[in-house]
Amino acid sequence: MIKKIDIKKMNEEEKRNTYREAKILELLSHPGIIHFREIYKNSAGELCIVMDYADGGDLAKMIKERKSTGKRLEEGKILGLFAQMVLAIKHVHDRKILHRDLKCGNVFLTKGDIVKLGDFGIARMLDQTSDFAETVVGTPYYLSPEIVQAQAYCYKTDVWS
């Protein structure tokens, strides 16, 4: 899969932030995280981030499809997906990285229901495990109470999401 980002109209800070997503993905080598392949600039001036393709869509799509057909997810399947997500997030947090936008649309799946956490576009690296972030970012439905109340937050905010 190639994520194309038009950087022609971005200022230098926005460009640095865009490159940061690729650099974070490069640091994360785990079976539960979308694998980074390479980054390059194409002839149209777009930044291209090449990653593995998750052929099963995302968790949001799976839930929507199940809801429309009236078929509930089996408890065992839910627990299996949840366990994979927790292991992927633990790997991210062990590397002092906050994802900051965990939601069903950023939990990708393979056809075999293997979880691949992705979209690290607003992720943030912390200097120490005890550091806190303060920027209000993320998808509104998934924001932790600390972010909503404009308080400093840490790894717990990803768990809330």
Side-chain angles (χ1 to χ4, degrees):
M1 173 175 89
I2 300 176
K3 180 176 183 176
K4 294 180 180 180
I5 305 163
D6 186 4
I7 60 171
K8 292 183 295 255
K9 297 176 184 170
M10 290 182 178
N11 63 38
E12 288 307 310
E13 183 179 349
E14 291 169 328
K15 288 178 185 177
R16 276 193 304 276
N17 289 339
T18 303
Y19 278 98
R20 187 186 66 224
E21 176 181 4
K23 293 299 175 193
I24 287 174
L25 277 172
E26 203 170 17
L27 292 172
L28 300 171
S29 178
H30 187 272
I33 297 173
I34 288 286
H35 183 72
F36 169 83
R37 296 287 175 183
E38 68 175 307
I39 185 171
Y40 64 91
K41 209 177 196 179
N42 68 13
S43 58
E46 298 169 314
L47 184 68
C48 300
I49 302 173
V50 182
M51 301 168 275
D52 283 350
Y53 177 66
D55 58 2
D58 60 44
L59 189 56
K61 177 184 163 200
M62 175 193 273
I63 291 169
K64 185 177 181 181
E65 286 173 356
R66 290 296 187 117
K67 191 174 184 179
S68 70
T69 61
K71 293 182 184 177
R72 293 179 183 243
L73 283 169
E74 303 82 32
E75 184 178 347
K77 187 171 192 164
I78 294 168
L79 289 172
L81 295 171
F82 178 73
Q84 291 178 68
M85 287 186 277
V86 168
L87 291 171
I89 287 299
K90 180 182 183 329
H91 181 78
V92 172
H93 290 176
D94 285 350
R95 276 132 196 90
K96 299 180 185 150
I97 298 170
L98 288 175
H99 187 283
R100 302 198 306 176
D101 197 21
L102 284 175
K103 58 186 177 183
C104 295
N106 289 339
V107 177
F108 301 101
L109 303 168
T110 67
K111 291 272 188 208
D113 290 334
I114 304 298
V115 166
K116 300 287 183 177
L117 188 61
D119 196 349
F120 285 80
I122 61 172
R124 161 112 190 271
M125 292 188 74
L126 298 178
D127 294 328
Q128 299 177 23
T129 310
S130 59
D131 276 357
F132 287 86
E134 295 178 0
T135 313
V136 178
V137 293
T139 304
Y141 287 133
Y142 301 94
L143 295 177
S144 68
E146 293 85 359
I147 294 176
V148 171
Q149 295 169 3
Q151 298 174 351
Y153 56 92
C154 62
Y155 300 105
K156 294 176 186 178
T157 197
D158 280 345
V159 176
W160 174 275
S161 297

